[in-house]
Amino acid sequence: HHSIELLKLRGGSAREFQQLAAELLAADLPREARLLLDKGAYHHPDNPDLARLRAIASRRDPQTAESCSRLFREAESLAEAATPGQAAEPGFRVEFAEALIADGQSAAAEERLREAIRQFPADQKPATAAALRRLAGLWQADGRHPEAARALLQRAEALER
């Protein structure tokens, strides 16, 4: 991919890094996206959008999935500093929750999932349903809130109709 190599060599705008990395992630090439975003973060260290995408790419790359929680925390902090109260879009929060679950931090993951569920727009029913199912599964795995977990699953089913 010529444009990837060019961007890595000469640098570019944060938007250029984001667009190309998003294409790589959509093509299921998380390692390539992560490497590109590592370079983008070097050129644009204070860009919260690049930081969020870098954390997501790192979670999806098997080589870095275990160590990505720090990147999620950094991205969340950068975003919060840039726009207080708007730390992250819901998709980022769901990805962060998955990283936290992998780290055994279910309470923090639950918090991110709850925030994501509240933030998803009405037109994103499949994504909302998936987050509801994930939260219900988390509760079921921990043996907590059985009635609430059932209610979340019912709500997810209703959204999928």
Side-chain angles (χ1 to χ4, degrees), residues 127-161:
T128 305
L132 288 165
R133 288 184 186 288
R134 192 62 175 117
L135 181 55
L138 195 58
W139 286 346
Q140 289 171 331
D142 291 346
R144 297 182 303 128
H145 314 300
E147 291 300 317
R150 272 194 291 284
L152 289 181
L153 292 172
Q154 288 171 348
R155 191 169 149 209
E157 284 177 26
L159 285 173
E160 291 169 333
R161 282 189 207 125

Side-chain angles (χ1 to χ4, degrees), residues 4 16 20-21 56 65 68 71 85 102 108 117 119 127-128 132-133 135 138 145 148:
I4 295 171
E16 287 175 295
L20 204 46
I56 290 168
C68 68
L71 292 176
I117 290 164
Q119 286 183 322
T128 305
L132 288 165
R133 288 184 186 288
L135 181 55
L138 195 58
H145 314 300

Side-chain angles (χ1 to χ4, degrees), residues 75-134:
E76 194 173 57
S77 294
L78 263 180
E80 182 63 35
T83 52
Q86 301 292 313
E89 52 89 33
F92 171 82
R93 291 186 192 281
V94 170
E95 294 268 3
F96 193 178
E98 293 297 341
L100 291 165
I101 290 167
D103 282 352
Q105 299 178 43
S106 60
E110 178 180 336
E111 182 183 326
R112 297 319 184 288
L113 285 169
R114 285 174 179 262
E115 292 167 353
I117 290 164
R118 278 194 299 272
Q119 286 183 322
F120 273 119
D123 65 346
Q124 291 192 17
K125 290 179 180 178
T128 305
L132 288 165
R133 288 184 186 288
R134 192 62 175 117

Side-chain angles (χ1 to χ4, degrees), residues 1 17 24-25 30 33 41-42 46-50 55 63 65 70 73 85 94 120 124 128:
H1 213 355
F17 278 103
L24 291 168
L25 285 172
Y42 175 80
D46 298 326
N47 186 292
D49 295 325
L50 272 182
Q63 290 182 348
R70 174 185 56 82
R73 291 189 200 294
V94 170
F120 273 119
Q124 291 192 17
T128 305

